[in-house]
């Protein structure tokens, strides 16, 4: 089963994806995590990526598509994957469609996490202190939220006729959010 989790930074996508990873043995693929790993490798490309992320902007589609394309071929994705933080714009959504059709794969469900913006900002500021993430200061968070909201409606429109769209309340406690997701996947 292949899923897309759509939602702003801090909406709890990663937490829920990790639960499903255990329960369904499908792989959690977070492009943000992959990029942070590249940054920690201290390569030239890592430095370039860090500057983009720290400014709250999106990393180039080419870099992202190459990362995803290679990753979903790995054996641990053979039972499926949860895309978290990807696609972020129409160009990525379109490139993903082509990639999946080449591999005779498809997205089964798109789940959108609906959350309150101001509460999200508080949540991410707390995470910033816990994980010492350099892109999690308040200005960058607001910028990332704005970038997310600018792109989301067009992504939802793109998928409207292609995949089942589901909206869940991401403000509920973790177990309640998990229940909402389980109901969707059980259909
Ligand atoms: P995230 O952990 O998903 O909030 O991502 C952290 C940062 O990584 C984002 O603010 C972007 O700068 C970058 N990033 C993550 N995923 C993507 C993507 N699919 N396309 C472009 N940039 C991304």
């Amino acid at each position: 089963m292949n899923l897309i989790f759509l939602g702003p930074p801090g909406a709890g996508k990663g937490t829920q994806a990790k639960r499903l990873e255990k329960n369904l043995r499908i792989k959690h693929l977070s492009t943000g995590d992959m990029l942070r790993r590249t940054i920690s490798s201290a390569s030239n490309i890592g430095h370039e990526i860090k500057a983009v992320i720290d400014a709250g902007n999106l990393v180039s589609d080419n870099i992202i598509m190459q990362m995803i394309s290679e990753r979903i071929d790995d054996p641990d994705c053979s039972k499926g994957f949860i895309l978290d933080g990807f696609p972020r714009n129409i160009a990525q959504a379109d490139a993903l469609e082509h990639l999946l059709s080449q591999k005779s794969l498809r997205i089964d469900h798109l789940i959108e996490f609906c959350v309150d913006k101001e509460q999200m900002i508080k949540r991410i500021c707390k995470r910033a202190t816990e994980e010492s993430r350099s892109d999690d200061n308040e200005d960058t968070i607001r910028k990332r939220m704005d970038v997310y909201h600018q792109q989301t409606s067009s992504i939802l429109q793109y998928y409207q006729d292609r995949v089942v769209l589901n909206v869940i309340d991401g403000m509920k406690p973790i177990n309640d959010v998990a229940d909402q997701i389980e109901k969707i996947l059980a259909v």
Side-chain angles (χ1 to χ4, degrees):
M1 184 181 337
N2 303 319
L3 310 175
I4 292 176
F5 279 3
L6 196 66
K13 305 182 300 294
T15 305
Q16 295 298 331
K18 285 194 181 79
R19 287 173 73 118
L20 281 187
E21 191 175 49
K22 264 196 203 148
N23 297 344
L24 300 181
R25 299 190 185 284
I26 58 178
K27 195 70 197 163
H28 171 211
L29 300 183
S30 153
T31 42
D33 287 348
M34 292 181 201
L35 292 167
R36 282 184 284 279
R37 275 195 291 275
T38 307
I39 291 172
S40 63
S41 72
S43 55
N44 282 345
I45 183 81
H47 288 303
E48 282 170 33
I49 289 172
K50 184 175 186 317
V52 174
I53 291 184
D54 283 354
N57 292 318
L58 290 185
V59 173
S60 87
D61 294 339
N62 284 347
I63 293 179
I64 299 291
M65 289 316 302
Q66 195 180 340
M67 265 179 7
I68 285 287
S69 166
E70 287 169 3
R71 190 63 186 84
I72 61 179
D73 285 336
D74 286 345
D76 60 355
C77 290
S78 63
K79 284 200 156 64
F81 45 79
I82 307 156
L83 298 173
D84 164 6
F86 170 85
R88 283 283 228 277
N89 56 34
I90 293 288
Q92 291 182 10
D94 212 26
L96 176 66
E97 280 291 295
H98 281 99
L99 185 72
L100 294 181
S101 74
Q102 278 167 7
K103 298 175 193 291
S104 303
L105 297 172
R106 67 186 180 99
I107 297 297
D108 299 290
H109 294 278
L110 184 151
I111 299 180
E112 184 192 5
F113 287 56
C114 249
V115 290
D116 175 83
K117 184 176 170 184
E118 290 308 315
Q119 289 211 38
M120 265 325 88
I121 290 171
K122 273 194 205 144
R123 200 189 270 186
I124 309 178
C125 284
K126 187 168 165 267
R127 182 177 72 183
T129 325
E130 288 164 4
E131 296 178 6
S132 38
R133 276 178 54 167
S134 56
D135 61 332
D136 274 356
N137 61 70
E138 190 166 337
D139 284 349
T140 315
I141 292 162
R142 286 193 184 275
K143 171 86 188 282
R144 285 163 63 206
M145 289 280 181
D146 290 344
V147 171
Y148 170 78
H149 287 292
Q150 279 159 21
Q151 309 277 3
T152 314
S153 53
S154 53
I155 292 180
L156 288 174
Q157 230 169 352
Y158 179 90
Y159 278 111
Q160 210 151 34
D161 301 324
R162 291 179 164 87
V163 61
V164 185
L165 300 181
N166 302 280
V167 182
I168 60 166
D169 181 354
M171 298 310 294
K172 294 263 193 288
I174 290 176
N175 285 341
D176 292 3
V177 177
D179 286 346
Q180 294 178 68
I181 295 173
E182 264 168 39
K183 277 197 191 113
I184 291 165
L185 303 186
V187 172

